[in-house]
DNA sequence: CAGATTGTAACATTAGTGGTTACAATGCTA
DNA sequence: TAGCATTGTAACCACTAATGTTACAATCTG
């Protein structure tokens, strides 16, 4: 059980967009799919979500996708929410309908709820504190694109 | 996509064990299944994992399951690990085999790795900081079992 | 208009989950 | 020892989500 790779692919795609230069060849879903090593339809699906969330702008038919915001203004939490890998407050599945005739059964859900929420929030805060800019800077360093 | 309810069921079961009294009826997997509202086999599977992790002791055939440690000495992280809902450092699935011919493709995995690790660790630290004792105290309060 | 690109549906496959059934193994009691 | 209750585990089933593919309509530009 893992958080879908849809999230990491989305970050990959956004990084490509952030690092594209005006003089570069047009960045089509086909080219992005090549970098990610997947089918272009997969990229288009994700782009649809990112567009809906206001993170990218996509030119229909003519090709060309662009960041709708500065990489500094896009957090990994924004991406996570955009691609809907985890529903709000629903990272942990909690068993349904425990027996209310039993004190533990009656109360376990609410006894756990607060902690599980805090755990999820702690994870999401790390994502919120990380921007696309930081990721792309890291990529550039690792790829030897920075001097 | 959610972390399996196996975890919350395990906490439920451990709470039953923590709150059982010596004078109570024997706590069989059947009775625990009644509280959880599931099939006893489900409980037995989970108990097998908890036993393997050293959190419980189970009497074969004769019935009777007991905590192997004090509730203060059992964290929710122990439970999470015991029931193997998430593999070590594998909460986030990251796409395989991005294209190494592209700088982003070549570096995205390692550029993301550190952040994703931190996010997972943040979640796990909340669980580590929460003991079964705290959960059962909460249960007792909510069920009106404390005066 | 033709070609390139996007957007979306449908299909196929796989893995994991949660529940059930079946039954062997085990331990206790009469 | 036999019978019973309980545990332990395998196999099966149905469902869901994820991931990839194919097909093709809609859109835009030269």
């Amino acid at each position: 059980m893992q958080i879908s790779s849809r999230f990491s692919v989305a970050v990959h795609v956004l990084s490509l967009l952030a690092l594209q230069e005006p003089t570069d060849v047009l960045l089509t879903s086909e080219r992005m799919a090549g970098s990610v090593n997947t089918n272009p339809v997969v990229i288009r699906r994700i782009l649809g979500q990112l567009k809906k969330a206001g993170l990218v702008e996509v030119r229909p038919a003519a090709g060309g996708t662009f960041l709708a915001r500065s990489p500094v203004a896009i957090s990994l939490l924004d991406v996570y929410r955009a691609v809907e890998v985890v529903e709000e407050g629903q990272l942990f599945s909690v068993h349904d309908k425990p027996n209310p005739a039993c004190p533990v059964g009656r109360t376990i859900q609410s006894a756990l709820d607060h902690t599980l929420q805090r755990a999820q929030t702690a994870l999401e805060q790390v994502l919120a504190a990380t921007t696309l800019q930081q990721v792309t800077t890291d990529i550039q360093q690792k790829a030897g694109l920075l001097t």
Side-chain angles (χ1 to χ4, degrees), chain A:
Chain A
M1 166 273 120
Q2 296 180 285
I3 291 176
S4 164
S5 63
R6 204 157 64 240
F7 171 64
S8 63
V9 172
V11 177
H12 188 140
V13 163
L14 288 165
S15 299
L16 289 170
L17 293 174
L19 293 172
Q20 81 175 321
E21 307 274 9
T23 53
D24 285 352
V25 210
L26 197 59
L27 196 49
T28 59
S29 56
E30 185 98 40
R31 297 183 60 81
M32 291 189 259
S35 175
V36 173
N37 190 16
T38 190
N39 187 289
V41 170
V42 172
I43 302 299
R44 290 186 209 135
R45 278 193 192 126
I46 288 169
L47 282 177
Q49 290 180 306
L50 295 176
K51 177 174 151 190
K52 189 174 162 195
L55 299 187
V56 300
E57 289 171 348
V58 186
R59 282 195 312 185
T65 301
F66 309 93
L67 285 189
R69 289 178 3 208
S70 160
V72 179
I74 297 177
S75 72
L76 292 190
L77 185 64
D78 293 329
V79 185
Y80 167 97
R81 297 248 190 262
V83 294
E84 298 178 324
V85 286
V86 177
E87 233 179 291
E88 204 79 47
Q90 301 288 307
L91 177 59
F92 292 88
S93 174
V94 175
H95 54 295
D96 276 343
K97 295 189 269 297
N99 188 345
C102 163
V104 178
R106 192 162 72 246
T107 51
I108 186 67
Q109 293 179 331
S110 70
L112 270 179
D113 189 59
H114 182 55
T115 300
L116 299 185
Q117 272 301 109
R118 278 193 300 115
Q120 182 169 349
T121 298
L123 173 151
E124 289 169 352
Q125 273 170 352
V126 173
L127 299 182
T130 310
T131 64
L132 182 62
Q133 178 67 34
Q134 286 164 295
V135 176
T136 55
T137 300
D138 204 7
I139 284 167
Q140 286 172 310
Q141 279 171 351
K142 291 184 193 302
L145 303 180
L146 284 187
T147 55

